[in-house]
């Protein structure tokens, strides 16, 4: 069995390397230019490195932390050469990510004693929310879990149809009502049905945009309340989906949603088509909420449980 686990892990790592290719090339090129022709780590090198990190969408706050750590490290180790700066940078970024909150998940599993495990998915339209739900359903099912979808985004005409297509594609049931129906009623029916069927995982879609922030907060709060009538601990997880290709805009969306509702986990999508994957570092470092999933391609298997160590390794590895 261990051989197959290693094989599966290697396949996942290869997918991760490939999915982060654009970010890695951009990131390493910028770092390379920052230290080109330098024989020591001086103020100019650190300034160039700071500029490279910010332009790679690592974000100002996170960049400042990284530069501070490198300055202390260079000062403490009395190390002046640039030859090992790449290694030091990798270690400090890894350290920064390790300090960030962790979901504790290493695969598509659910906590013991929490069945059905209810995931409420939030995020603005266009970030890949529905696709992420479909891929989550596929991967949970592949891991041997029974899954039920709930189409509680009843405000957008295509939302229910899109989720229905995914339920058919993955082969999992869906609870839905007509467009314009009460989202709370859909969520209630979904949790009630899932509990009656004794499914393992319930995934509920919600509206990506309402008239204003207050309306959105009220709607999400109401959906939570009605679910609790059936299952007092529901939802077990509020998953915010962010589009990694939007860079710093994803940070703004995270600020907006975390201020609006209690988000417990993050999924960052579309990392394969962008050079802005550095935003994962910014998001993981800035919010006290774990990055749980990353989307690194079109295939259903390309939604991966986020592994901080493997992410940093892929970001810096030169051989893929």
């Amino acid at each position: 069995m261990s051989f197959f686990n290693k094989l599966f892990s290697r396949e996942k790592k290869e997918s991760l390397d490939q999915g982060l290719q654009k970010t890695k090339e951009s990131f390493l090129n910028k770092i390379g230019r920052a230290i080109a022709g330098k024989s020591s780590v001086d103020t100019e090198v650190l300034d160039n490195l700071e500029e490279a990190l910010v332009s790679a969408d690592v974000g100002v706050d996170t960049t400042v932390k990284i530069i501070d750590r490198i300055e202390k490290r260079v000062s403490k180790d009395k190390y002046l050469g640039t030859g090992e700066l790449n290694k030091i940078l990798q270690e400090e970024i890894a350290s920064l990510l390790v300090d960030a909150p962790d979901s504790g998940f290493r695969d598509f599993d659910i906590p013991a004693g929490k069945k059905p495990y209810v995931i409420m998915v939030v995020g603005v339209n266009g970030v890949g929310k529905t696709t992420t739900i479909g891929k989550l359903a596929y991967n949970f099912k592949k891991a041997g879990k029974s899954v039920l979808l709930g189409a509680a985004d009843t405000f957008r005409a295509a939302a229910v149809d899109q989720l229905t297509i995914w339920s058919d594609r993955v082969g999992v049931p869906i609870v839905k009502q007509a467009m314009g129906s009460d989202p709370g009623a859909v969520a209630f029916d979904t949790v009630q049905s899932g509990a009656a069927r004794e499914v393992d995982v319930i995934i509920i879609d919600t509206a990506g945009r309402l008239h204003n922030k207050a309306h959105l907060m009220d709607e999400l709060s109401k959906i939570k309340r009605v679910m609790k009538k059936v299952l007092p601990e529901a939802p077990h997880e509020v998953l915010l989906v962010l589009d990694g290709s939007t860079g710093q805009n994803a940070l703004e969306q995270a600020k907006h949603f975390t201020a609006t509702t209690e988000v417990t986990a993050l999924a960052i999508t579309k990392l394969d088509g962008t050079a802005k994957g550095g935003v994962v570092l910014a998001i993981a470092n800035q919010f006290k909420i774990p990055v749980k999933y990353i989307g690194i391609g079109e295939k259903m298997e390309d939604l991966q449980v986020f592994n901080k160590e493997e992410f940093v390794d892929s970001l810096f590895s030169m051989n893929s």
Side-chain angles (χ1 to χ4, degrees), residues 59-261:
V60 175
D61 293 345
T62 308
T63 294
V64 168
K65 283 188 184 178
I66 293 169
I67 296 297
D68 283 349
R69 287 179 180 222
I70 290 173
E71 279 185 310
K72 285 174 186 168
R73 180 90 172 261
V74 169
S75 170
K76 184 183 73 173
D77 296 346
K78 302 298 178 193
Y79 182 79
L80 300 174
T82 59
E84 283 190 12
L85 183 57
N86 205 48
K87 181 171 176 283
I88 292 172
L89 181 61
Q90 183 172 352
E91 287 171 359
E92 293 308 326
I93 286 177
S95 172
L96 203 68
L97 272 181
V98 167
D99 290 346
D102 190 14
S103 72
F105 282 77
R106 287 293 168 262
D107 216 328
F108 288 89
D109 207 352
I110 58 173
K114 293 186 178 178
K115 177 181 173 177
Y117 186 73
V118 182
I119 304 170
M120 175 176 158
V121 184
V122 301
V124 301
N125 297 334
V127 295
K129 186 158 56 81
T130 310
T131 301
T132 298
I133 292 170
K135 289 179 177 179
L136 278 173
Y138 168 82
N139 284 288
F140 276 121
K141 185 181 177 184
K142 188 179 176 185
K145 305 288 184 287
S146 54
V147 182
L148 177 65
L149 302 181
D153 181 0
T154 58
F155 292 94
R156 190 165 60 91
V160 177
D161 293 341
Q162 286 172 350
L163 201 62
T164 301
I165 290 168
W166 273 105
S167 84
D168 292 339
R169 187 180 299 170
V170 177
V172 298
I174 184 171
V175 173
K176 58 184 177 179
Q177 293 180 15
M179 183 192 164
S181 301
D182 178 15
V186 178
F188 182 90
D189 289 349
T190 306
V191 176
Q192 192 172 53
S193 176
R197 298 185 198 192
E198 298 186 342
V199 302
D200 296 308
V201 182
I202 295 171
I203 309 174
I204 295 179
D205 190 14
T206 63
R209 185 182 64 203
L210 295 174
H211 308 312
N212 55 50
K213 189 174 175 180
H215 191 185
L216 177 63
M217 183 165 59
D218 290 346
E219 196 59 63
L220 295 177
S221 297
K222 180 185 172 187
I223 291 172
K224 281 184 181 178
R225 281 198 310 274
V226 297
M227 284 195 281
K228 289 183 187 299
K229 291 179 182 178
V230 184
L231 208 62
E233 64 270 29
H236 299 96
E237 184 176 307
V238 178
L239 180 69
L240 172 61
V241 181
L242 299 167
D243 180 350
S245 70
T246 63
Q248 292 301 298
N249 190 42
L251 266 177
E252 290 305 309
Q253 287 179 20
K255 287 176 187 173
H256 172 85
F257 268 93
T258 52
T260 300
T261 191

